[in-house]
Amino acid sequence: MTTPKHLEYAHSRISNVPDFPKPGILFKDITPVLQDPRAFNDAVEDLASHLNGANIVAGIESRGFIFAAAIAAKNNLGLVLLRKPGKLPRETHVVQYQLEYGFDSLEMHQDALDKNDSVLLIDDVLATGGTLLAGSELIAKTGAKLTNCAVFIEISALNGRNRLSSIPVHSSIIV
Ligand code: AMP
């Protein structure tokens, strides 16, 4: 896949780690991107250029938080957290989703969004698409509008985009 010129440097900072966290997974390690001011800023700018009119940014735990928080602060927008189970202290909406083995779920405070909100949903990596789909369903429960999903890296071989055909998705870098 061709990486846009303005993201070539950020792309060069992604580290590919074979067999992490288990055999057969090629882990996209973004920590070198975060450590590098130019790469981090280029990534955040690209994701933020796809707000599509959103008034608030939602980030998925945990690496999605990093990009979402930077986008929100730079654009003077609020930030909503989509968290792993049992982390949020007040009433939550919950969506369960399937993993390769077993299930996981995402939670969001019930009062985090309402029907007047337009939301940009952020994660670091799109793999099979289950996480972003669950995030979009969580946002839909509140009546808020999803203007876009944006991820820094899309792993095209895993076909996550097919699963997300009903929602808009921008990927900065497609590998
Ligand atoms: P999925 O639900 O399969 O699209 O997986 C996406 C979520 O899992 C994201 O929150 C990623 O942080 C993480 N993830 C999945 N595969 C990878 C990978 N190869 N490298 C880094 N993170 C990954």
Side-chain angles (χ1 to χ4, degrees), residues 29-40:
D29 176 20
I30 58 153
T31 59
V33 175
L34 304 177
Q35 285 165 222
D36 185 306
R38 177 180 160 199
F40 188 26

Side-chain angles (χ1 to χ4, degrees), residues 15 34-37 39 76 81 93 95-96 98 117 122-123 130 149 168 170:
S15 176
L34 304 177
Q35 285 165 222
D36 185 306
N76 201 28
L81 305 183
H93 291 301
V95 168
Q96 203 180 58
Q98 194 152 14
D117 286 313
I122 295 288
D123 204 357
C149 300
H170 163 72

Side-chain angles (χ1 to χ4, degrees), residues 15-17 20-21 24-30 60-64 84 97-100 122-134 151 153 155 158 160 163-164:
S15 176
N16 295 302
V17 184
F20 183 87
I25 305 285
L26 181 63
F27 190 80
K28 298 287 175 188
D29 176 20
I30 58 153
I60 298 178
E61 188 167 359
S62 59
R63 290 181 295 276
K84 301 279 167 60
Y97 60 102
Q98 194 152 14
L99 298 174
E100 204 177 341
I122 295 288
D123 204 357
D124 64 331
V125 171
L126 166 58
T128 66
T131 308
L132 269 191
L133 194 60
V151 295
I153 304 166
I155 303 172
L158 296 175
R163 239 171 122 183
L164 301 172

Side-chain angles (χ1 to χ4, degrees), residues 35-55:
Q35 285 165 222
D36 185 306
R38 177 180 160 199
F40 188 26
N41 192 60
D42 287 351
V44 170
E45 286 294 321
D46 182 75
L47 294 167
S49 68
H50 291 82
L51 279 159
N52 287 0
N55 70 295

